[in-house]
Amino acid sequence: MLIDLEQGNPKEFYSDPKSMLDIYNSSMEYFDEDVILPNARIGLELGRGCIFKCTFCEFDLIGKTKGTYTRSTSRLEDELKRNWEENGIYKYWILDDTFNEDNDKLEVIAKLKADSNIPLELSAFLRLDLQNRLKQEQLLVDCGLKNPQYGIETLNPDSAVAIGKGWNPEEQ
C-alpha cells in the first residue's frame, strides 16, 4: 500500500489473502524514541493465519497447515532477549489468532522462557475447547500465560452444530 501511495497508484481496496510478509524472518525492533517503558505490555506475533476454518469466519488466512507461517525460533529468541536486556520488557500480548492452536508452538515458547530466564507474562486469545482436549493447562503456565482471553462461540448445542464447534456446551 505504501509503495502504491508513493507511486501515486492507490487502490480503493487492499486485501492480502496470502500475506506477503515474510513472517519466518520477521522481527520487531524498538528505539529510544518509541518510549518503551519497562512495565509496558507490548505485542508479540508468533505466526500469521489460523489452522481452523470456522464457518462464521471471513478472515482470509484460515485453514493453514499446522506449524506453517510461523516465526523463526531464533528470531523470536533474539527479540525477547533484546526487549528484556534493552527495555526490561517481559510482558506481551500475543497477537496470534489462536495462541493455543498447537502444542508444538506452546512447547517452543515454554522452552524459550525456561532457557532465557526472562520472567515472561503473556496475555493471549485461547480456545477453551483446545485447552481441554489437548490438556494444555500446565504447558500454558510454563509459557508464562497470565491473562487468558477465551473465545466461547455458543453454549447452545444446536448453534454449536450449526457453526461446526464440536465441544458439547454442557461440558464447557
Side-chain angles (χ1 to χ4, degrees):
M1 181 168 60
L2 292 175
I3 292 168
D4 285 346
L5 287 171
E6 184 178 71
Q7 294 174 352
N9 300 319
K11 294 181 177 65
E12 195 170 309
F13 177 77
Y14 283 88
S15 177
D16 191 9
K18 294 189 177 163
S19 189
M20 299 184 315
L21 175 71
D22 176 8
I23 190 72
Y24 185 79
N25 292 304
S26 177
S27 186
M28 183 62 152
E29 214 171 317
Y30 295 97
F31 301 95
D32 291 341
E33 56 267 23
D34 292 319
V35 191
I36 302 295
L37 302 174
N39 229 7
R41 183 175 304 274
I42 62 175
L44 181 67
E45 187 173 38
L46 306 173
R48 289 243 172 128
C50 182
I51 64 173
F52 304 105
K53 287 186 172 182
C54 298
T55 57
F56 55 84
C57 185
E58 293 187 24
F59 183 51
D60 284 332
L61 297 173
I62 62 173
K64 73 173 189 170
T65 303
K66 178 181 159 183
T68 61
Y69 214 59
T70 58
R71 291 188 55 199
S72 152
T73 302
S74 62
R75 293 269 181 166
L76 187 56
E77 181 180 20
D78 291 345
E79 184 173 326
L80 292 173
K81 284 182 180 178
R82 184 176 56 252
N83 288 341
W84 173 246
E85 292 167 1
E86 294 177 7
N87 297 301
I89 296 293
Y90 62 96
K91 296 179 180 179
Y92 293 92
W93 282 101
I94 301 299
L95 302 176
D96 296 32
D97 301 296
T98 309
F99 179 53
N100 67 328
E101 68 184 359
D102 177 359
N103 278 2
D104 294 339
K105 176 171 77 173
L106 298 179
E107 288 168 6
V108 166
I109 301 304
K111 182 170 178 8
L112 284 175
K113 181 181 186 295
D115 292 349
S116 69
N117 290 318
I118 299 171
L120 288 179
E121 288 188 15
L122 306 178
S123 297
F125 175 78
L126 306 174
R127 278 187 41 181
L128 187 58
D129 61 327
L130 296 177
Q131 180 181 317
N132 177 63
R133 189 181 56 189
L134 301 175
K135 310 294 184 231
Q136 296 176 327
E137 291 80 9
Q138 187 58 52
L139 187 52
L140 290 165
V141 169
D142 294 345
C143 288
L145 184 69
K146 299 285 185 189
N147 184 19
Q149 317 283 302
Y150 289 102
I152 300 173
E153 288 81 10
T154 183
L155 294 176
N156 179 299
D158 295 332
S159 296
V161 170
I163 63 173
K165 298 295 179 180
W167 198 23
N168 183 317
E170 291 299 318
E171 194 176 326
Q172 291 180 54

